[in-house]
Amino acid sequence: MEKSKVLIVGGTGYIGKRLVKASLAQGHQTFVLNRPEIGVDIEKVQLLLSFKEEGARLVSGSFHDHQSLVNAVKLVDVVICAISGVHIRSHQILLQLKLVDAIKEAGNVKRFLPSEFGADPARMGHALEPGRVTFDDKMVVRKAIEEAAIPFTYISSNSFAGYFLGGLGQLGIIIPSTDSVVLYGDGNVKGIIVEEYDIAMYTIKSIDDPRTLNKTVYIRPPENILSQREVVQIWEKLIGKELQKSSISAEQLLSSMEGQPYAHQVAVVHYYHVCFEGCLTNFEIGEEGVEACELYPEIKYTTVEEYMKRYV
């Protein structure tokens, strides 16, 4: 079976650059949207040029130029969007509605993977303000995709290892302490942590798989379904030292939003749902979804312990 041609939108971003590399590694003809909006961001330009050297093709296109998007998507079979939906970086989820319009007009795309890569927004209708905006906007995009009858795959990749493990599960910290840690509640609520390149590898694996068509792909590495306390214990084992532990209640976490910037408030709500509610693990995958590690056992994912060795 011939592998699909892939267009990656947001290819210079945190997940996007890994998707480009994974697509190339898995032998797909890979196109990366080169948006004029990057301006004189030299690091992004150099990253795009490095993709070109590795075999990717750069395609000009802009969310402010409909025809350029139509022309770009006409070149490929699969479109993957990885523009940011995280307020601490930038929140651009609804820009994808323009991409949906372009895909609908082009009429040739066999599958679209919108920018999700987190908790399943379909299960977050109860989320608190202001954090729910992330999930609400993703559901707006989903609705547009499905109303346009565009074939899709949604990727629910749970927590990024770099953010969650780097802070031992603590918001706003990305280098683990060797002295102390603050636990959310008792620290025993289970979450799911996935290394970012593994997310990209599973994502690219899914694009030509009929089992993932019009489904949500949940990435749940069995060894990485851990509580915050279990992550701390792994870290303590690696450094040979027990950390001083304190805890914060759900009420204290939510009240800490007061007076903080909007982006921080959004992040607090997300941490509340993950660390107190267990929104990543408190459900069984139904008929609308499939699990990536079961589908692709040939991918050797990075365990939490393997990942955390880099900090020692």
Side-chain angles (χ1 to χ4, degrees):
M1 178 179 172
E2 187 176 349
K3 295 194 173 188
S4 289
K5 298 176 183 177
V6 181
L7 171 67
I8 296 171
V9 180
T12 59
Y14 187 64
I15 289 297
K17 62 188 176 186
R18 292 168 170 85
L19 287 166
V20 174
K21 290 182 177 294
S23 180
L24 290 169
Q26 293 184 35
H28 291 272
Q29 191 171 345
T30 305
F31 298 73
V32 183
L33 195 69
N34 176 16
R35 293 188 284 159
E37 290 87 348
I38 67 173
V40 293
D41 189 331
I42 190 65
E43 291 185 351
K44 287 186 177 181
V45 171
Q46 290 177 343
L47 187 57
L48 287 169
L49 292 175
S50 74
F51 293 153
K52 187 178 178 183
E53 289 175 354
E54 292 170 21
R57 179 175 163 186
L58 306 184
V59 182
S60 294
S62 169
F63 283 110
H64 305 299
D65 181 348
H66 173 73
Q67 192 58 49
S68 73
L69 292 180
V70 173
N71 294 343
V73 301
K74 279 185 175 179
L75 296 171
V76 300
D77 308 300
V78 174
V79 177
I80 305 174
C81 189
I83 61 174
S84 178
V86 182
H87 284 77
I88 57 171
R89 299 171 73 91
S90 63
H91 183 76
Q92 301 177 324
I93 292 300
L94 292 181
L95 274 180
Q96 292 178 104
L97 295 175
K98 297 184 178 183
L99 194 53
V100 170
D101 288 341
I103 291 169
K104 183 178 179 180
E105 180 175 327
N108 62 292
V109 171
K110 297 177 182 176
R111 198 159 330 180
F112 177 40
L113 286 71
S115 185
E116 296 219 350
F117 306 107
D120 180 1
R123 298 182 180 276
M124 298 305 295
H126 64 289
L128 302 177
E129 295 283 4
R132 65 173 298 122
V133 65
T134 305
F135 312 115
D136 289 346
D137 284 0
K138 288 178 179 180
M139 290 305 294
V140 169
V141 174
R142 283 193 182 191
K143 184 172 184 286
I145 291 168
E146 293 170 26
E147 286 183 348
I150 296 169
F152 63 84
T153 297
Y154 303 139
I155 304 294
S156 178
S157 59
N158 301 297
S159 296
F160 294 161
Y163 283 95
F164 194 86
L165 298 181
L168 300 176
Q170 300 166 103
L171 174 61
I173 300 172
I174 54 173
I175 296 292
S177 171
T178 55
D179 297 310
S180 62
V181 63
V182 177
L183 298 175
Y184 293 114
D186 60 13
N188 290 326
V189 174
K190 295 282 188 179
I192 306 172
I193 307 104
V194 191
E195 195 272 336
E196 290 83 348
Y197 187 66
D198 292 345
I199 292 171
M201 289 294 285
Y202 285 119
T203 299
I204 299 300
K205 269 284 186 181
S206 76
I207 63 177
D208 283 330
D209 189 341
R211 297 172 296 177
T212 64
L213 180 62
N214 296 334
K215 299 275 190 179
T216 298
V217 176
Y218 297 91
I219 307 177
R220 290 182 162 186
E223 291 184 56
N224 291 2
I225 301 175
L226 300 168
S227 68
Q228 183 191 14
R229 186 177 290 274
E230 288 171 322
V231 168
V232 170
Q233 289 170 346
I234 290 170
W235 177 239
E236 289 174 331
K237 175 186 170 186
L238 286 172
I239 64 173
K241 178 184 177 183
E242 187 173 343
L243 302 187
Q244 181 181 345
K245 300 174 186 68
S246 57
S247 68
I248 183 173
S249 69
E251 294 75 17
Q252 288 171 320
L253 177 65
L254 292 174
S255 65
S256 73
M257 290 192 293
E258 187 174 352
Q260 294 298 315
Y262 182 77
H264 181 79
Q265 293 183 41
V266 170
V268 166
V269 170
H270 293 177
Y271 267 71
Y272 165 77
H273 287 296
V274 170
C275 297
F276 285 98
E277 183 182 88
C279 67
L280 304 181
T281 58
N282 64 1
F283 63 92
E284 297 296 325
I285 297 172
E287 291 184 359
E288 80 291 343
V290 290
E291 200 287 310
C293 299
E294 293 178 1
L295 292 181
Y296 314 115
E298 67 274 18
I299 294 180
K300 186 186 181 301
Y301 64 83
T302 305
T303 67
V304 166
E305 183 167 355
E306 289 167 345
Y307 188 93
M308 296 196 76
K309 287 178 180 176
R310 71 192 63 193
Y311 298 116
V312 176

